Amino acid sequence: MVAFIGRRALLAIPTLIFISFISFVIIQLPPGDYVTSYAAQLRQQGDYVSAAQEAIMRQNMGLNDPILVQYWRWISNIVFRGDFGHSLEWNAPVGSLIWDRLALTLAISSLSLVFTWIIAIPVGVYSATRQYSILDHLFTVFGFLGKGVPDFLLALILMWIGFIYLQIDVGGLFSPQYQNAPWSWDKLVNLLSHLWIPLVVLATGGAAGLIRVMRANMLDELGKPYVETAYAQGLSERQVVWNYPVRVALNPFISTVGWSLPALFSGDVITAVVLNLPTTGPLLLQALKMQDMYLAGSFILILSVFTVIGTLVSDILLAWFDPRIRYA
C-alpha cells in the first residue's frame, strides 16, 4: 500500500507542473490582453486611452515579455514565496482576494456535499431494496425533477418563496448590517438563516443523480451469488445489505472525490451569481471576463491542484476498499 501511494504521489508532481503551464497558456490564448479589456471598459465610460498609453501600461505590467518569462516569473513567485501575483483588475494581491472567499466557499460546498450524501445513500439503498414500491416511485420522480430543473431556476423559486411567504432577506449570506460586522452569535444565526437556500439548491441536483446511481449499483449487486450466500448463512437483511452490497456500490461515490475537491473550491458559478454569494465562483468569472491573467491563472492552478489531490485521494481510498486495484 505504501509503494502504491508513493507511485501515485510521484506521478502527481510532473502532472502539476504540466497543468500549471497549460493553465497559464490558456489564459493568454484569447485575443488581446488585460490592457485591451481595460481600455475598452474606459471607452465605454467615456474616457479615452491612447495607443501610447496602452503601450506604456503593457510595458509596466510586463505583458510584452515572452510567455515563458511571464510564466516563470509567476510560478517561481508562487513556489518560492507563496506570492500569487497582483490582480490587475482589483489592484490587490491575488492571495488576499482568493483566501478571503475560500473559507465561505469551502463551508458551503462541504455542507452541500455532506447533505447530498446523507440523502443519496440511504434513499438509493431503500429504492433498490424496495423496488417498485410507492416510495421508490416517489424517489424516482424526485430524481428526474432534481436533474431536470436547472439550479439557477430552483434558486430563483426559493428566493421568491423566501421573500414572499417567509418575509426573510434573500440573496447573499448575510443581512446588510452583518456583512462587515465582526463574528458574533447574532451574525452566525443570520448566516444560518441565509444558508439553507444555497444548500438546498446545490444538494438537490447532486442528490438526485447519486440516488439513481446508488439504486442502479445496488440492484446489480443484490442479484449476485455472494448476497444469496450471506442470506443462506442466516444473516438479517440489514446485516447483508449494509455489510456487503452497499460497500461495493459505494465505489462510484469514492471515485467522485476527485471531482468533488475542485467543485468545493469553484462552487456553482451560475448559482452563486444568482444568489449573490460572496464565494470564489463569481470572482473567477469576473477574472476570466477581464483577462486578469494572474488572478484567473491562480484560480485555474488551484483548481488543477485540487483535482490532482482529489484523484490521489480517490485512488488511495479505492485501493483500500478493493485490494485488487493495488495490483492492477
Side-chain angles (χ1 to χ4, degrees):
M1 189 68 180
V2 175
F4 176 82
I5 296 173
R7 287 198 303 271
R8 286 291 188 272
L10 288 176
L11 284 174
I13 295 174
T15 304
L16 287 174
I17 296 174
F18 178 74
I19 288 176
S20 68
F21 179 72
I22 294 298
S23 303
F24 195 79
V25 170
I26 288 175
I27 299 302
Q28 308 277 0
L29 287 181
D33 51 25
Y34 170 74
V35 174
T36 305
S37 302
Y38 181 64
Q41 189 179 45
L42 289 179
R43 291 190 186 99
Q44 288 180 350
Q45 296 172 355
D47 297 328
Y48 176 74
V49 180
S50 66
Q53 289 175 311
E54 291 186 23
I56 292 173
M57 292 171 66
R58 287 192 179 90
Q59 182 67 31
N60 293 336
M61 295 177 182
L63 301 181
N64 293 328
D65 294 336
I67 189 169
L68 286 177
V69 174
Q70 295 184 50
Y71 168 73
W72 174 248
R73 186 166 58 222
W74 175 63
I75 198 66
S76 61
N77 283 332
I78 293 176
V79 173
F80 299 117
R81 303 175 185 171
D83 181 8
F84 285 85
H86 199 80
S87 169
L88 305 176
E89 167 69 10
W90 296 84
N91 193 25
V94 170
S96 65
L97 292 173
I98 292 177
W99 306 130
D100 284 350
R101 295 176 176 236
L102 185 59
L104 285 174
T105 305
L106 289 177
I108 294 172
S109 301
S110 300
L111 287 173
S112 67
L113 180 64
V114 171
F115 193 36
T116 298
W117 283 33
I118 289 175
I119 295 173
I121 294 176
V123 171
V125 172
Y126 181 88
S127 292
T129 54
R130 300 291 185 274
Q131 191 179 16
Y132 303 132
S133 65
I134 295 176
L135 283 180
D136 179 34
H137 288 300
L138 289 176
F139 291 140
T140 300
V141 172
F142 168 77
F144 289 139
L145 287 176
K147 293 301 293 179
V149 177
D151 285 350
F152 74 89
L153 180 60
L154 180 60
L156 291 173
I157 294 172
L158 291 178
M159 289 174 71
W160 177 75
I161 293 174
F163 183 74
I164 298 296
Y165 294 102
L166 303 180
Q167 304 293 317
I168 61 174
D169 294 330
V170 292
L173 290 177
F174 301 101
S175 298
Q177 65 269 28
Y178 291 107
Q179 285 183 357
N180 297 319
W183 278 101
S184 62
W185 176 255
D186 290 339
K187 184 170 182 176
L188 178 62
V189 172
N190 185 260
L191 170 65
L192 295 177
S193 68
H194 288 75
L195 198 58
W196 67 273
I197 292 181
L199 284 185
V200 171
V201 172
L202 294 175
T204 299
L210 287 179
I211 286 172
R212 305 306 300 167
V213 172
M214 191 69 188
R215 182 180 184 275
N217 289 342
M218 283 293 296
L219 289 175
D220 287 341
E221 295 300 321
L222 288 173
K224 291 185 176 178
Y226 75 87
V227 177
E228 297 177 2
T229 302
Y231 277 118
Q233 291 177 340
L235 298 177
S236 66
E237 181 184 10
R238 184 177 61 82
Q239 290 175 314
V240 172
V241 170
W242 287 97
N243 289 343
Y244 301 105
V246 167
R247 185 171 178 174
V248 178
L250 283 176
N251 275 359
F253 286 73
I254 299 171
S255 302
T256 58
V257 170
W259 310 337
S260 301
L261 277 181
L264 291 178
F265 180 76
S266 62
D268 191 315
V269 176
I270 298 178
T271 303
V273 171
V274 171
L275 293 175
N276 192 28
L277 301 179
T279 55
T280 53
L283 190 63
L284 171 60
L285 180 62
Q286 181 66 17
L288 292 173
K289 286 168 59 181
M290 290 301 298
Q291 293 184 272
D292 192 347
M293 59 183 186
Y294 293 122
L295 181 56
S298 298
F299 266 119
I300 296 176
L301 175 63
I302 293 174
L303 285 172
S304 304
V305 171
F306 273 38
T307 303
V308 172
I309 294 175
T311 304
L312 178 64
V313 172
S314 294
D315 289 344
I316 294 172
L317 290 175
L318 285 173
W320 180 57
F321 267 80
D322 189 351
R324 295 173 299 176
I325 295 177
R326 302 176 206 169
Y327 307 103

